[in-house]
Amino acid sequence: MWDTGMDIRDVQVIRTRTDVYFGVGAIDSIDAIAGQMAARGIKSALIVTGHSAYKVTGAWAKIAPALDRVNIRYAVYDGVTPNPTTGQVDTAVALGADIEAGAVIAIGGGSAIDAGKGAAILLRNPGKTAAALFNCEFAPKEALPILAVNLTHGTGSESNRFAVVTDTEKNFKPVIAFDCIYPTWAIDDPALMATLSEKQTRFVSIDAVNHVIEAATSRSVNPLAVMLASETVKLVSKYLPLALREPGNLTARYFLAYAAMIAGVAFDNSLLHYTHALEHPLSAVRPDLAHGLGLSILLPAVVKEIYPARSVVLADLLAPIVPGLTGVPGEAEKAAKGVEKWLVSVGVSEKLADFGFTADDVDSLVDLTLKTPSLSGLLDQAPTEANRLSIASIYLNSLGWIS
């Protein structure tokens, strides 16, 4: 494969709608980025991050001095949690407003980057709240410039226009998508990802696979999304087992980071549908359920649901993890069980029942899926009719093993 000839320490700028500084050592590009910020007249920045990863990874030891060297002052909000909340975004915005922030620097995985995107919008649109933003009560046209320093290889949020934040009062976990929140700059340095735990490594990589399975089968699919999807599955199938065996293997981290980044571009083009629409209510109700794990649990049932409608593309896409598919609609169950087997091979055997969900919960989960602002837009992209029956079927088939 082409990947064997890549120099993982040759940091390059990959240009999508974002300038992504990519490669081992890319964090050293922070000096150039800070210089660009200063040249734009940015004098202060809001840092949005989690409690410790930004320090443990070594990212902050590079970022803080770079900002100091160009006299950009900053305030740090380090309260972002997995499945970030509107309250967290509002608190971060208040800190940013106090220093008249001219940019947002989000350091972390999808949670920190998504929260940072929300803060960037609200700082440019004073008087609005995070709940109003994520419940789609207004459509922003502008946001502060964003630098996304990515610490995981999963969400692709560093290279797209999406953000997800939970409204805990309503148990809503909506998704927003606005052109103004494409990060201006992003840093994807695999060396910053080497401290990911085994679980995090597994779940974020499977998140990328979910992104492309949905992107390649949506109603808005285009050839670019299918091409990126195919490459993503190949890379994750090859390098995830290696990263699980050898956490410090930077070659594995490099290609998983690349897979996640191009997966973000894929669904930026072709959008998502069932798996993400149905996962958001799960982790809104159970914030302790990791997003990537929730997606993993739903994926086999989603494949079973959509395979007859997209059998040819799915047979080709899934070939690295489910060999032997021929692309006939009647092999939906075989495809779903094959995905299930692959998930077990990389350490994911959990089902919804393991988290206390039962058949009695399905109606309320379906209601949340249908009522959460913005999720209807995802459901409209599903390749089969997304109604109460199909949604309930996916949840029911995710309680236990595919049969």
Side-chain angles (χ1 to χ4, degrees):
M1 286 180 66
W2 63 269
D3 48 293
T4 58
M6 293 298 297
D7 180 355
I8 66 172
R9 289 176 170 78
D10 181 18
V11 175
Q12 295 289 338
V13 180
I14 298 175
R15 292 178 174 86
T16 58
R17 288 286 292 267
T18 298
D19 282 357
V20 183
Y21 291 74
F22 191 93
V24 176
I27 189 60
D28 292 327
S29 303
I30 186 61
D31 283 305
I33 296 169
Q36 292 176 42
M37 288 182 170
R40 288 180 172 221
I42 294 170
K43 300 182 184 303
S44 58
L46 170 66
I47 313 299
V48 178
T49 188
H51 180 64
S52 61
Y54 75 114
K55 292 182 178 178
V56 170
T57 58
W60 186 240
K62 297 279 189 175
I63 295 168
L67 297 176
D68 291 340
R69 281 191 284 271
V70 293
N71 298 312
I72 294 177
R73 59 197 179 95
Y74 49 84
V76 178
Y77 175 73
D78 63 357
V80 177
T81 61
N83 300 311
T85 68
T86 52
Q88 292 170 7
V89 174
D90 285 333
T91 302
V93 168
L95 282 177
D98 285 344
I99 64 164
E100 299 181 337
V104 171
I105 301 175
I107 311 170
S111 295
I113 296 172
D114 287 2
K117 288 177 174 180
I121 288 173
L122 295 173
L123 286 165
R124 184 66 91 184
N125 296 270
K128 304 291 188 181
T129 66
L133 171 62
F134 284 91
N135 284 302
C136 303
E137 294 176 15
F138 73 102
K141 300 296 184 184
E142 295 184 333
L144 294 185
I146 300 164
L147 163 60
V149 182
N150 189 29
L151 302 183
T152 71
H153 41 72
T155 70
S157 192
E158 79 275 19
S159 62
N160 65 41
R161 61 199 153 107
F162 292 88
V164 178
V165 169
T166 300
D167 182 341
T168 54
E169 290 188 7
K170 298 180 179 179
N171 275 342
F172 285 169
K173 189 180 175 182
V175 56
I176 60 171
F178 298 108
D179 284 359
C180 63
I181 52 173
Y182 281 106
T184 304
W185 312 271
I187 293 174
D188 268 332
D189 187 337
L192 301 180
M193 304 172 191
T195 58
L196 285 172
S197 71
E198 182 178 317
K199 284 186 176 181
Q200 289 173 313
T201 296
R202 180 180 297 122
F203 296 153
V204 297
S205 301
I206 295 171
D207 189 4
V209 171
N210 275 277
H211 286 154
V212 297
I213 289 176
E214 291 171 83
T217 57
S218 80
R219 293 182 186 272
S220 297
V221 66
N222 63 38
L224 175 64
V226 175
M227 179 186 72
L228 296 175
S230 179
E231 198 62 38
T232 296
V233 177
K234 289 175 185 175
L235 290 171
V236 173
S237 68
K238 179 176 180 178
Y239 287 104
L240 176 55
L242 179 57
L244 292 173
R245 291 194 307 270
E246 303 174 20
N249 189 310
L250 293 184
T251 297
R253 299 289 183 184
Y254 178 95
F255 287 108
L256 289 173
Y258 178 69
M261 188 271 289
I262 65 172
V265 176
F267 80 81
D268 198 34
N269 277 272
S270 287
L271 305 178
L272 302 172
H273 53 77
Y274 275 126
T275 323
H276 277 75
L278 273 65
E279 191 284 327
H280 288 189
L282 292 176
S283 52
V285 173
R286 288 288 303 271
D288 59 319
L289 177 60
H291 175 63
L293 177 54
L295 294 171
S296 302
I297 292 171
L298 293 168
L299 182 57
V302 170
V303 168
K304 183 178 180 179
E305 169 68 25
I306 68 173
Y307 194 90
R310 295 289 189 272
S311 57
V312 173
V313 68
L314 281 171
D316 183 65
L317 186 63
L318 296 174
I321 59 176
V322 189
L325 296 174
T326 62
V328 298
E331 59 189 4
E333 186 172 310
K334 176 183 178 181
K337 287 183 175 181
V339 170
E340 202 169 52
K341 182 179 179 181
W342 174 73
L343 288 169
V344 171
S345 77
V346 293
V348 181
S349 60
E350 293 92 338
K351 299 295 180 182
L352 288 184
D354 296 318
F355 289 87
F357 290 102
T358 70
D360 292 337
D361 298 312
V362 168
D363 278 344
S364 62
L365 290 171
V366 173
D367 286 340
L368 273 176
T369 304
L370 294 173
K371 292 178 181 178
T372 298
S374 77
L375 295 190
S376 62
L378 299 185
L379 294 172
D380 288 344
Q381 293 298 320
T384 62
E385 183 182 353
N387 52 33
R388 291 195 69 92
L389 183 62
S390 62
I391 296 167
S393 176
I394 293 169
Y395 279 131
L396 286 168
N397 281 327
S398 301
L399 290 170
W401 299 94
I402 293 290
S403 59

